[in-house]
Amino acid sequence: MMAGKRADEAARQHLVTGLLERMLVKDVFDETCIVNQALVLLADKWALLVLIVLMQGTKRYSELQRQIRGVSPKMLTQTLRSLEENELVARQVFPEVPPRVEYSLTAFGKSLSHPLAALCDWAFEHEPRLRKVYAQARPAP
Amino acid sequence: MMAGKRADEAARQHLVTGLLERMLVKDVFDETCIVNQALVLLADKWALLVLIVLMQGTKRYSELQRQIRGVSPKMLTQTLRSLEENELVARQVFPEVPPRVEYSLTAFGKSLSHPLAALCDWAFEHEPRLRKVYAQARPAP
DNA sequence: CCGAATCCAGATTGATACTG
DNA sequence: CAGTATCAATCTGGATTCGG
């Protein structure tokens, strides 16, 4: 138990140290920093949810809308367009009746699987605490 | 080279499959899904940048403002308050003149190091492509 | 039916100036 | 130093409408 905790901490320190080496510690978060630019593309709740759902495989527009509860058609379209422009998602239109449009991750999008999975894993691991802070942060609707 | 690529793909599939098992594939992205709640807290550019900077250690308000280029005092304060409420960041006020306030990650916040490092690693690995899409997504200022 | 475009009220953001 | 206050501008989201 104790050893496991120390191992986790050691792993964390290794990761953080590796990062710091690359970031050169100071003033890296301006507009030219690649981490900053990446966050501009990714720091969006709907975009992340779409990417996570598309990790399951190719989906139609309506499937995405069904799986991602609470997304309006407008925001879904907007998010998909943005992801397409950023080359993370591919859009394929089938000239049929009724119309069919399929979305899938590009190879670039698939390369995000590891970071996104790490984020989801974190959420599952810390579920009780997350629920607590989420509930107290937003008074009952 | 080829073997490395295959290993990466295998690792990705393992991660994704593990996720899918937990997500039970369908309709998990409503308000009660823990991933959704986690994203509400984290899908924010400034919050992520603050967390990443605080991975370097304890910082004063002005240090954060200097390292995170482009953040206004208002947004920095707002972001820090939110992170504090979510128990990811601890705030300590020193009753001195001139005033001093220090921010650091809580244990909970430190538990985010792995996912955040994975995200940063991804950004560094895909820097050329990221710069390309970032540039074409936003016309020269 | 499915996918997308338009309009508009309300929330969020950002730059700047100001205060204990 | 570490924030607030203020105001303009942008973004969001829902309802509605349109086209294939």
Side-chain angles (χ1 to χ4, degrees):
Chain A
M1 199 57 155
M2 221 34 194
K5 275 212 166 172
R6 264 207 298 279
D8 285 353
E9 177 63 13
R12 189 184 77 77
Q13 268 310 324
H14 173 75
L15 282 161
V16 174
T17 305
L19 264 181
L20 292 191
E21 281 166 8
R22 294 205 248 189
M23 290 184 179
L24 303 173
V25 175
K26 57 166 187 174
D27 289 2
V28 288
F29 293 107
D30 60 19
E31 274 242 322
T32 66
C33 174
I34 195 59
V35 172
N36 196 310
Q37 297 190 2
L39 291 182
V40 170
L41 307 184
L42 294 177
D44 177 299
K45 180 192 164 185
W46 298 127
L48 290 171
L49 284 175
V50 167
L51 290 170
I52 290 168
V53 173
L54 288 180
M55 282 166 62
Q56 297 174 357
T58 298
K59 300 274 176 184
R60 299 182 57 166
Y61 181 92
S62 50
E63 289 178 291
L64 290 171
Q65 191 167 26
R66 209 175 311 119
Q67 287 204 326
I68 304 174
R69 295 287 178 88
V71 70
S72 67
K74 179 187 164 184
M75 289 316 293
L76 183 54
T77 299
Q78 200 170 301
T79 302
L80 287 166
R81 289 280 130 77
S82 162
L83 290 172
E84 194 189 355
E85 188 171 12
N86 296 331
E87 300 177 14
L88 294 167
V89 163
R91 175 176 187 265
Q92 189 175 11
V93 184
F94 295 84
E96 302 174 354
V97 175
R100 184 159 58 107
V101 181
E102 288 187 350
Y103 295 92
S104 56
L105 293 182
T106 62
F108 189 33
K110 284 180 184 170
S111 72
L112 261 172
S113 294
H114 184 141
L116 292 182
L119 209 61
C120 294
D121 282 343
W122 177 84
F124 285 118
E125 273 170 40
H126 298 273
E127 174 159 358
R129 183 136 192 195
L130 270 171
R131 291 212 184 276
K132 202 192 82 183
V133 301
Y134 185 86
Q136 77 189 20
R138 24 185 66 211
Chain B
M1 200 54 158
M2 225 27 198
K5 276 212 168 175
R6 262 207 297 278
D8 285 352
E9 177 64 15
R12 188 185 76 78
Q13 269 310 325
H14 174 72
L15 282 161
V16 173
T17 304
L19 263 180
L20 292 191
E21 282 166 9
R22 294 206 247 189
M23 290 185 180
L24 302 173
V25 174
K26 57 169 188 173
D27 291 3
V28 288
F29 293 106
D30 60 19
E31 274 241 323
T32 65
C33 175
I34 196 60
V35 172
N36 195 309
Q37 297 191 3
L39 291 182
V40 169
L41 307 184
L42 294 178
D44 176 301
K45 181 191 165 188
W46 299 128
L48 291 172
L49 284 174
V50 167
L51 289 170
I52 291 168
V53 173
L54 287 181
M55 281 166 61
Q56 296 173 358
T58 297
K59 300 275 175 183
R60 300 181 58 165
Y61 182 92
S62 51
E63 290 178 289
L64 290 171
Q65 191 168 26
R66 209 175 312 118
Q67 288 204 327
I68 304 175
R69 295 284 179 89
V71 70
S72 66
K74 178 186 162 185
M75 287 317 293
L76 183 54
T77 299
Q78 199 171 300
T79 301
L80 287 167
R81 290 281 131 78
S82 162
L83 290 171
E84 195 189 355
E85 187 170 13
N86 297 330
E87 301 177 14
L88 293 167
V89 164
R91 175 175 185 265
Q92 188 175 11
V93 184
F94 295 84
E96 303 173 353
V97 175
R100 182 158 58 105
V101 180
E102 288 186 350
Y103 295 90
S104 56
L105 293 182
T106 62
F108 189 33
K110 284 179 184 169
S111 72
L112 262 173
S113 295
H114 183 138
L116 293 182
L119 208 60
C120 293
D121 282 342
W122 177 83
F124 286 119
E125 273 170 41
H126 299 273
E127 175 159 356
R129 183 134 192 198
L130 269 171
R131 292 212 183 277
K132 202 191 82 187
V133 301
Y134 185 86
Q136 78 188 19
R138 21 186 69 211

